[in-house]
Amino acid sequence: MSILIIDDDTELCELVTEYLEDEGFTVDSVHDGPTGVEHCLANEPTLVILDVMLPGLGGFAVLSKIREISKVPVIMLTARGEEVDRIVGLEMGADDYLPKPFNPRELVARIRAILRRTAGVVEADVEATFVTVGDLEMDLGTRGVRCSSGEVDLTGAEFAVLETLVRAAGSVVSRDDLSRKALGRRASAFDRSLDVHLSNLRRKLGPLPEGGERIKTVRGVGYQYVKPATSAS
């Protein structure tokens, strides 16, 4: 598993590299935006750790260029307290974020959670290649999504959230269960990741063909993917 770190803090890169290599990852690091884009697109790492503040080309611009042609999972590093940076990063296609300073053990846990879901790992008792509810079809092998409006381009995190909801279509999934199953961690009152992923899914998927929202918020309980009455799934 190859990790690319794009961060101009060379000392941090050295520390994270040492820790990740001890965990069995291969790690490269670059220290400015343009080089980060070039290296990512040329070498196709398994996952990218991307700082928001970069010389030459900012982290959001780097993410935008990467997302133009690659679905590689991206973890954004943000300054602690800068919630707007975290939300913007997720809305632009980042899979997760981690505020600085951070515990390397938490970084590794988030990396492994992302890699599990982007590898298409499913529970052993599930053999289906496709999951279909109404007009929505999810291909678990290619991680492709289609609905009545056509192909839907999702990040790895968005796919995981949608898959969790669709597998329980018609039932309510609690916020904590959704966070644990899709993002690999318990829900936190201060973590907006799940909210942004759900907002992105609603925007990208649009309403049901017959009208009405696909993903309902059940206040105080959780979330539900609406199962059409005519769905055979």
Side-chain angles (χ1 to χ4, degrees):
M1 296 291 185
S2 60
I3 307 293
L4 172 63
I5 305 173
I6 309 176
D7 195 314
D8 62 337
D9 186 337
T10 56
E11 183 176 353
L12 174 67
C13 288
E14 290 171 1
L15 291 172
V16 172
T17 295
E18 183 178 353
Y19 196 92
L20 291 178
E21 287 180 342
D22 287 344
E23 293 291 322
F25 295 101
T26 299
V27 184
D28 287 315
S29 62
V30 296
H31 310 299
D32 65 80
T35 305
V37 173
E38 181 181 352
H39 192 289
C40 178
L41 300 184
N43 295 280
E44 299 183 355
T46 309
L47 181 142
V48 175
I49 299 171
L50 173 63
D51 190 26
V52 169
M53 301 299 293
L54 288 170
L57 194 66
F60 296 137
V62 171
L63 176 62
S64 179
K65 289 184 176 296
I66 290 174
R67 280 290 172 260
E68 287 177 2
I69 61 173
S70 174
K71 292 185 178 181
V72 61
V74 175
I75 296 178
M76 299 287 291
L77 301 181
T78 68
R80 184 172 295 278
E82 294 298 328
E83 183 179 25
V84 65
D85 285 349
R86 299 195 287 272
I87 293 174
V88 170
L90 292 170
E91 289 177 339
M92 292 182 63
D95 292 85
D96 205 348
Y97 66 81
L98 199 58
K100 293 181 176 180
F102 55 84
N103 186 321
R105 291 179 62 185
E106 181 177 3
L107 175 62
V108 171
R110 295 202 179 197
I111 289 173
R112 294 198 186 283
I114 289 173
L115 294 182
R116 281 195 297 271
R117 65 182 184 244
T118 55
V121 176
V122 295
E123 296 180 8
D125 61 345
V126 178
E127 298 180 355
T129 301
F130 294 90
V131 178
T132 303
V133 176
D135 71 316
L136 181 77
E137 182 179 275
M138 303 184 71
D139 186 331
L140 305 184
T142 65
R143 304 188 73 76
V145 177
R146 287 187 59 85
C147 64
S148 56
S149 59
E151 296 283 348
V152 183
D153 187 21
L154 301 182
T155 67
E158 291 163 1
F159 188 96
V161 171
L162 181 61
E163 181 186 353
T164 303
L165 290 171
V166 167
R167 286 188 182 281
S171 301
V172 178
V173 181
S174 73
R175 182 179 179 85
D176 193 54
D177 280 349
L178 185 56
S179 183
R180 285 190 296 103
K181 292 177 181 178
L183 304 182
R185 59 180 183 273
R186 292 182 63 85
S188 164
F190 304 103
D191 188 345
R192 295 289 306 280
S193 302
L194 191 57
D195 301 293
V196 177
H197 293 319
L198 287 165
S199 176
N200 287 345
L201 284 170
R202 288 175 173 127
R203 172 175 53 82
K204 291 181 179 182
L205 293 170
L208 291 166
E210 61 271 25
E213 58 186 349
R214 293 177 184 272
I215 301 173
K216 294 178 60 176
T217 298
V218 182
R219 190 175 299 277
V221 183
Y223 307 93
Q224 177 192 55
Y225 188 91
V226 177
K227 187 174 184 178
T230 57
S231 174
S233 299

